[in-house]
Amino acid sequence: MRTIEDVLDAVTPSAVDPPTAEQLTAALDARERRRRRLAAGAAAGIIGMLIAGVGIGVRGDQRVETATIDQTTTPVTDGRNTTATEQTSTSRRVEPVAPWTRRWFLVPPEPTEVRHVSTEHRFWDQAQRAAIPSITVTDDPDTPASAGLAQIYHLDGADINGIGDPDWDYHSITVAGRPGRVGIDPGRQRIAANIAGERGVFVAVAVGVTEDEVIDLALAARLVDGAAHLGDRIPAGFTVVDPPAPGPTDHSSTLGWGSGGRTLRLQMSPATIEEIVLFHRSQGAEAVTVRATEGVLLPQPGLESSPAIVWEQDGYVMLLSSEGEQTSGGERASGGGTPDAVDRLVAVANSLQRVDQTGLIDRFDDPFMRRQAETVQAWLTATPPPPGWDQSPLINTVPLGRLETAVLVRHYLECTWVAEWADAIRTGARGRRTEAEARLAQRAKWPVFIAETAARNEITGGPELPTQAPAEFQRQAERMAVVETPDQLQEFEADHGCGFVAPPG
Amino acid sequence: MGVVPVRSRAAVVDDLDRFVDMHYKRLVGLLILRSGDEHRAEELAQESLVKLVKHWDRVRVMEHPWAWLATVAMNQSRSRWRRLAMMERAERRLVGTADGPSSGEDLTELLMVIHGLPERQRMALLLRHYARLSVEETAAAMECAEGTVKSLTSRAIERVRDELSEEIGDAND
């Protein structure tokens, strides 16, 4: 009769060669060198890399604009501010763009001055809608603070030279007979490889990995059902990060509040910690204990007294950052924040309380949120939609958040007036067309647009739309004025349509 | 506390070589049982050994360096991402769609049984009866009481016995 040891011992391999101490020491040295050389680097330019230079469907000013890929939309940013993503879409619909369906939130323990609440589509979901789901890989799943991290995408129809950031240093390569190019971010040590595929380009963007590895990752990708897959071709040492479990919403939300002269921002994302860390990491990220779990302390280059920390909680990834920290002359921590600033931030994170939606509203010191319905009605009274449009679905589905509410109402008004204009052209109703064009030409003065601009500026910390939107509106008005034929109208709607063209009967 | 004798660097490297030679096959075997994938097991073994090299000065003077290495290897393979990826690969291997095990159907069945065990039962069984750690060392590695180790291994053996339909001798706990 065999013993359990006999049974298990049968698995012991007979033909494996142990590595030598010299080989192991060399492997350790290589790993340490790599850590030091490529310790970090944020991938905040991923969106910009993927889209800003891609040249497909991009129109107008690329800083806040939309690109159309496979008939869906993906935000374009300048790569600096991911939370400023404009939700303008070439396929606008009246349905709420950001339904607030999250079941719980983290809020400060005391009633406080809530400065803003916002929601955004997480980029990765946007990418998935655009049929470019990404794969996240890591070379050390236990330590996201220092691990090599990468994301791999496929972009249909793109060219290796059409994707990239103008500030990066690129050089061309040819591997396995496939042309490509490798880019290195001189500022934050990110690295990217674009490798040509049959239908487009595989892009790998990474921090903490070598040039060879990022090329291998892009080379390993294969197109399956229109998306990049690594399958069994994962380069040695890397593992795929499991995507986040589907939650009740695919939006990330940001809560900002004032405390002691500084502004604290808490972003809650249905993401993996690797994605968030990859997206924000820069030199000197390190592990930190927060809310009894291991998080990552992220430095913010140029803002040494304003650190940020990331941690996972119940399926969401939290990113807490602080701005306007008062330095006390303390020693600068290796993680990028002064020790006292880091301690204060960790203390804030530990003090956050979990509440439901009612609990969140109770914390608002924001009169808008307490008078949301009246405000929406006031916007619609000041700028009514064309006759015949039912406002009740809009009023009954307004999201929680000043910016989102304004965006929703503004989209609704824009789209209904564009639909009115198109219908007027089709039916030859000259007066209706003139009125629609006049209404749309005044968009920059719509109260809802002014409110949206104010909310956006408060969240992003600077003016964005005021200098761009009027010019964009003017361009659109000029184009609308010359539309006369059905073909021209169809072309305009393809570019600027809202997903519906006829007013309800 | 004893005095650690000072040794030359070459001697320390020799010690490391001897230690790796002595334990490498069992380390890979442990990780095959853990992951179900021979190639992945070798990768994990290499990673564990790199960690060993990093801490060798400290580990080599331990009473049971092998227990340290086995614990590191098991912990390294325990993270959820790694586990899911490995399980996926193991599943493919076990159904014979990928590069299958080289040791025949019996091993395939054994690996399936091991992978069917609850996580802590599997860890206790492998550390105790494959890595040959003592009950005390296994308890330390799993951060649990010695009684828990005994109970976990007992249940694991019972299940392996049932699944393999084979009389398997009791462990000498």
Side-chain angles (χ1 to χ4, degrees):
Chain A
M1 184 171 63
R2 294 196 297 171
T3 65
I4 187 67
E5 282 83 359
D6 295 334
V7 172
L8 297 175
D9 278 353
V11 174
T12 306
S14 55
V16 289
D17 294 324
T20 65
E22 188 180 354
Q23 289 169 328
L24 292 170
T25 305
L28 176 62
D29 288 346
R31 177 173 292 195
E32 295 297 320
R33 276 200 305 277
R34 192 179 68 196
R35 288 267 186 274
R36 285 194 295 271
R37 193 173 72 248
L38 296 168
I46 289 176
I47 295 176
M49 283 189 55
L50 285 173
I51 307 298
V54 95
I56 42 178
V58 177
R59 59 187 168 84
D61 189 320
Q62 290 184 345
R63 192 154 175 233
V64 181
E65 205 26 281
T66 55
T68 301
I69 300 174
D70 288 351
Q71 300 179 328
T72 53
T73 61
T74 299
V76 174
T77 76
D78 59 357
R80 289 185 298 108
N81 192 339
T82 60
T83 61
T85 303
E86 165 64 272
Q87 296 298 321
T88 302
S89 163
T90 53
S91 58
R92 293 167 194 149
R93 295 181 186 281
V94 172
E95 290 84 21
V97 294
W100 193 282
T101 52
R102 207 183 301 294
R103 302 286 187 268
W104 59 275
F105 309 88
L106 289 181
V107 296
E110 301 295 331
T112 185
E113 177 199 351
V114 174
R115 294 188 176 164
H116 68 261
V117 178
S118 66
T119 61
E120 308 94 29
H121 285 284
R122 60 191 291 270
F123 165 71
W124 298 278
D125 282 330
Q126 291 272 4
Q128 281 164 3
R129 288 193 195 96
I132 49 170
S134 64
I135 307 163
T136 303
V137 297
T138 175
D139 68 357
D140 191 348
D142 298 327
T143 58
S146 58
L149 299 171
Q151 284 192 304
I152 301 104
Y153 308 81
H154 181 268
L155 283 168
D156 260 9
D159 174 76
I160 55 169
N161 295 313
I163 302 166
D165 188 310
D167 294 332
W168 290 31
D169 299 325
Y170 283 93
H171 61 270
S172 297
I173 56 170
T174 300
V175 281
R178 294 162 65 184
R181 68 173 187 157
V182 175
I184 295 172
D185 175 1
R188 306 184 77 173
Q189 298 178 327
R190 288 164 289 172
I191 187 166
N194 305 340
I195 303 289
E198 283 182 22
R199 283 174 33 186
V201 176
F202 291 101
V203 181
V205 185
V207 291
V209 306
T210 64
E211 185 173 324
D212 285 347
E213 286 170 334
V214 80
I215 292 170
D216 284 350
L217 286 164
L219 278 174
R222 291 288 178 271
L223 199 59
V224 179
D225 296 332
H229 286 262
L230 292 180
D232 284 334
R233 302 176 62 91
I234 299 170
F238 288 91
T239 51
V240 173
V241 175
D242 213 32
T249 173
D250 63 356
H251 291 68
S252 64
S253 60
T254 305
L255 177 69
W257 69 96
S259 174
R262 60 192 168 152
T263 297
L264 293 154
R265 295 174 196 274
L266 177 67
Q267 180 185 309
M268 184 174 178
S269 303
T272 65
I273 198 164
E274 285 80 5
E275 286 173 325
I276 297 295
V277 171
L278 171 63
F279 213 75
H280 292 274
R281 203 169 90 193
S282 58
Q283 197 79 37
E286 60 185 43
V288 62
T289 299
V290 53
R291 294 180 78 87
T293 187
E294 184 173 305
V296 180
L297 173 65
L298 298 168
Q300 302 199 74
L303 296 168
E304 281 71 23
S305 62
S306 301
I309 49 178
V310 183
W311 73 95
E312 272 184 312
Q313 184 166 344
D314 298 335
Y316 289 99
V317 176
M318 307 291 170
L319 171 66
L320 178 66
S321 61
S322 167
E323 293 173 12
E325 279 278 358
Q326 297 298 310
T327 57
S328 60
E331 178 192 355
R332 180 177 162 174
S334 60
T338 56
D340 51 348
V342 172
D343 290 346
R344 279 200 299 275
L345 195 62
V346 170
V348 169
N350 290 337
S351 73
L352 296 174
Q353 293 178 348
R354 184 171 163 149
V355 296
D356 60 12
Q357 188 164 320
T358 303
L360 179 66
I361 291 173
D362 285 346
R363 299 299 166 92
F364 276 126
D365 191 26
D366 182 343
F368 171 81
M369 292 312 302
R370 296 191 182 279
R371 296 201 310 269
Q372 187 184 44
E374 301 98 285
T375 306
V376 169
Q377 192 55 61
W379 288 336
L380 291 170
T381 301
T383 312
W389 287 89
D390 180 11
Q391 300 170 17
S392 58
L394 177 69
I395 293 171
N396 292 334
T397 55
V398 287
L400 184 61
R402 196 177 351 171
L403 174 61
E404 292 66 39
T405 310
V407 167
L408 177 65
V409 175
R410 195 253 300 167
H411 278 180
Y412 171 81
L413 288 171
E414 275 186 354
C415 289
T416 54
W417 277 109
V418 168
E420 170 75 358
W421 169 81
D423 189 63
I425 292 175
R426 288 196 175 90
T427 58
R430 201 74 203 171
R432 284 170 57 207
R433 171 178 179 166
T434 302
E435 171 157 11
E437 288 179 355
R439 292 275 187 179
L440 289 166
Q442 294 296 310
R443 266 176 295 177
K445 296 179 181 172
W446 288 355
V448 64
F449 181 76
I450 293 169
E452 177 192 337
T453 303
R456 189 182 305 280
N457 289 345
E458 188 175 329
I459 290 168
T460 61
E464 296 228 0
L465 287 179
T467 57
Q468 299 172 39
E472 169 68 13
F473 295 161
Q474 182 60 35
R475 278 195 295 274
Q476 194 182 53
E478 289 168 2
R479 191 170 170 198
M480 291 173 85
V482 299
V483 170
E484 292 296 343
T485 67
D487 284 349
Q488 288 172 328
L489 179 59
Q490 193 172 3
E491 187 185 348
F492 180 90
E493 287 181 319
D495 286 348
H496 301 280
C498 296
F500 56 96
V501 292
Chain B
M1 181 185 294
V3 176
V4 178
V6 177
R7 305 194 65 198
S8 71
R9 199 65 216 162
V12 170
V13 171
D14 281 349
D15 283 351
L16 179 61
D17 266 332
R18 270 197 296 276
F19 179 83
V20 172
D21 272 347
M22 186 184 304
H23 295 289
Y24 186 68
K25 286 181 181 174
R26 189 154 291 269
L27 177 65
V28 174
L30 179 67
L31 291 165
I32 289 174
L33 284 163
R34 182 71 181 80
S35 70
D37 183 318
E38 194 170 324
H39 299 298
R40 187 65 192 145
E42 285 196 65
E43 287 172 17
L44 284 167
Q46 298 261 357
E47 289 176 31
S48 304
L49 289 173
V50 168
K51 286 194 174 179
L52 174 74
V53 172
K54 189 173 182 178
H55 301 288
W56 180 239
D57 284 343
R58 179 166 60 88
V59 176
R60 73 186 180 86
V61 296
M62 290 178 176
E63 192 173 353
H64 298 294
W66 163 244
W68 183 91
L69 179 61
T71 304
V72 165
M74 291 294 271
N75 286 339
Q76 190 144 323
S77 63
R78 197 169 50 176
S79 81
R80 64 189 172 100
W81 301 288
R82 214 175 275 257
R83 184 168 67 246
L84 287 171
M86 286 191 293
M87 287 293 285
E88 200 175 88
R89 293 160 73 104
E91 198 171 334
R92 282 198 301 272
R93 272 172 48 85
L94 293 173
V95 298
T97 56
D99 43 349
S102 55
S103 312
E105 287 183 10
D106 289 348
L107 283 189
T108 304
E109 188 179 4
L110 173 63
L111 291 174
M112 289 179 74
V113 171
I114 297 294
H115 274 276
L117 293 174
E119 168 69 18
R120 286 175 64 76
Q121 281 188 31
R122 179 166 57 232
M123 192 158 178
L125 178 74
L126 298 184
L127 285 175
R128 179 76 186 93
H129 295 290
Y130 185 79
R132 307 288 206 275
L133 268 55
S134 67
V135 173
E136 183 183 3
E137 287 166 341
T138 305
M142 295 182 63
E143 298 178 343
C144 66
E146 292 179 22
T148 305
V149 170
K150 290 179 182 175
S151 143
L152 288 169
T153 51
S154 172
R155 289 205 298 274
I157 292 169
E158 186 66 35
R159 186 150 165 189
V160 171
R161 183 184 290 141
D162 289 348
E163 297 279 344
L164 294 180
S165 303
E166 178 183 338
E167 284 299 313
I168 295 173
D170 284 337
N172 49 356
D173 280 340

